[in-house]
Amino acid sequence: MEYETLILGAGAAGLMCAAHAGPGVLVIDHSRAPGEKIRISGGGRCNFTNLYAGPANFLSENAHFAKSALARYTQWDFIDLVERHGIAWHEKTLGQLFCDGTAKQIIAMLLAEIERAGATLWLQTTVTEVRKTDAGFAVTLDREGAREEIRCRNLVLATGGKSIPKMGATGFAYDIAAQFGLRVTETRPALVPLTFPEGRFSELSGVSLPVRLSNDRTGFDEALLFTHRGISGPAVLQLSSYWREGEDIAVNLIPDMPLLETLRTQRQSEGRRQLNTELSQHLPTRLVQHLSAHLLLTGRLADQSDKALSALVAALSEWRLTPSGSEGYRTAEVTLGGIDTAALSSKTMQAQAVPGLYAIGEAVDVTGWLGGYNFQWAWSSGHAAGTAIASGS
């Protein structure tokens, strides 16, 4: 069987590419249903983009690579598509956009778009071999227990990264890229909870508070959540993309809180109050109890000197922690790293040295922040490849 374009992966990037790649498109996926990561995203409501999406919100060995695709298909373009399909949405926080209904609406929208474009979708189909031919590629598929060969002019790698293997995620795109001589950068779990040994924070499990979490490279002002395994929450997931094993992190438990001034004022009016009782007015009680053993949060307010209060506030402003690791690909939302952008055209997503081979979405070394950015990269890179294929460029 012959197709103009074969897209490997029916996720966000692959479906977007199929909607724009012109006639003769076949999309395949090994899953039972398309868009499985879309379905589970955003608590089932799909954080489909971010109002503030731009190149600064992405990590890559080449910080400039994503600029072209993001500029040519923006968050506003995707919002327009969502609205044309009558999908109601809302902004949650920090520019994050979610469906009012369910993530299945986004999947249905993309399926309607590829149907309109005339693309074919095969599910429960796996690739057993990929070969280069004079006219393009020959791909051997296993479909419902039978093997068949597909020949195509264009081959698009849209199978994502290694994150959430229980949903079938693998490093398949990296294997095909390496087969054709494309370098793959170091890959790591990203947007992932950080762990600590021996259940260090198990007694704090479920406690959440706003913090500033930082290391030597960057910092984020969002919520931190203590878990049985360690720490999670938006601030932790964000920083995990910039963290490396053995490094410590700084937790500011009182960002934008004038705690020193407050404690001094309370010392004058409520001097008989216990220090830990006062701190529990500003921080979760269980956290204050946990910190008491380390920071000696004992005695009355009246007994605390200015120096002691200043030292306490400094300690709460920079609580140093050293994670032992992360929860890994099992719970990572995305994979950091991927197919080297130096091997690809930033305009078309085509491999420079292998005409007809394209890589898009999470498979590429472009990783977004938490909050809809990775979906926007899927839409933008999928659109870039699809329109390039359709135009023959």
Side-chain angles (χ1 to χ4, degrees), residues 161-172:
K162 300 177 182 178
S163 56
I164 317 183
K166 71 179 181 181
M167 298 191 68
T170 68
F172 181 75

Side-chain angles (χ1 to χ4, degrees), residues 16-28:
M16 177 59 82
C17 182
H20 294 277
V25 174
L26 172 63
V27 185
I28 69 165

Side-chain angles (χ1 to χ4, degrees), residues 45-328:
R45 292 186 180 235
C46 187
N47 179 193
F48 57 80
T49 193
N50 194 291
L51 292 176
Y52 307 117
N57 306 113
F58 294 86
L59 292 79
S60 174
E61 283 191 0
N62 179 356
H64 302 288
F65 180 82
K67 289 181 177 178
S68 177
L70 291 170
R72 286 182 294 116
Y73 192 86
T74 70
Q75 57 269 44
W76 308 109
D77 294 312
F78 193 77
I79 291 168
D80 180 63
L81 177 63
V82 167
E83 292 183 337
R84 290 205 310 271
H85 281 262
I87 300 173
W89 56 272
H90 62 278
E91 179 184 357
K92 193 172 181 181
T93 57
L94 302 174
Q96 301 171 37
L97 303 189
F98 291 78
C99 297
D100 285 359
T102 75
K104 292 179 181 179
Q105 293 175 286
I106 299 296
I107 299 172
M109 176 191 76
L110 293 170
L111 292 177
E113 287 292 304
I114 71 167
E115 182 178 5
R116 176 192 57 76
T120 301
L121 173 63
W122 289 356
L123 299 171
Q124 294 182 271
T125 302
T126 58
V127 176
T128 59
E129 184 183 14
V130 177
R131 294 184 291 110
K132 189 76 177 72
T133 66
D134 291 341
F137 303 87
V139 182
T140 304
L141 303 178
D142 185 335
R143 186 184 184 211
E144 298 177 350
R147 290 200 169 191
E148 54 187 302
E149 184 176 270
I150 299 294
R151 289 183 175 262
C152 57
R153 183 181 303 276
N154 306 298
L155 181 64
V156 182
L157 304 179
T159 56
K162 300 177 182 178
S163 56
I164 317 183
K166 71 179 181 181
M167 298 191 68
T170 68
F172 181 75
Y174 311 144
D175 297 337
I176 299 301
Q179 176 184 330
F180 289 104
L182 278 61
R183 174 179 173 259
V184 177
T185 71
E186 177 194 12
T187 55
R188 298 171 52 85
L191 302 184
V192 63
L194 299 178
T195 57
F196 289 79
E198 301 174 0
R200 176 174 175 183
F201 299 122
S202 57
E203 76 276 11
L204 292 177
S205 181
V207 172
S208 178
L209 74 162
V211 302
R212 176 166 180 78
L213 197 67
S214 60
N215 61 9
D216 293 338
R217 289 179 288 281
T218 190
F220 294 93
D221 293 281
E222 292 196 59
L224 177 149
L225 171 69
F226 292 97
T227 72
H228 285 289
R229 292 176 175 270
I231 54 176
S232 187
V236 175
L237 300 186
Q238 294 279 39
L239 194 68
S240 70
S241 298
Y242 297 85
W243 177 81
R244 293 294 179 270
E245 286 78 1
E247 295 179 348
D248 64 354
I249 58 178
V251 188
N252 184 346
L253 297 168
I254 50 172
D256 304 320
M257 185 187 302
L259 185 60
L260 180 58
E261 178 182 338
T262 300
L263 292 177
R264 283 173 170 169
T265 300
Q266 291 297 94
R267 183 178 58 185
Q268 295 298 320
S269 60
E270 301 286 346
R272 299 177 63 182
R273 180 178 294 172
Q274 293 295 309
L275 177 60
N276 55 7
T277 301
E278 176 62 29
L279 288 175
S280 294
Q281 303 298 311
H282 310 285
L283 294 169
T285 300
R286 277 197 284 159
L287 177 58
V288 173
Q289 292 171 345
H290 176 84
L291 293 172
S292 292
H294 307 284
L295 301 181
L296 300 177
L297 305 181
T298 59
R300 301 179 307 166
L301 279 173
D303 299 328
Q304 312 300 318
S305 66
D306 281 353
K307 182 178 180 180
L309 292 180
S310 295
L312 170 61
V313 169
L316 296 175
S317 298
E318 192 169 357
W319 186 24
R320 308 296 295 195
L321 299 173
T322 305
S324 58
S326 79
E327 291 193 5

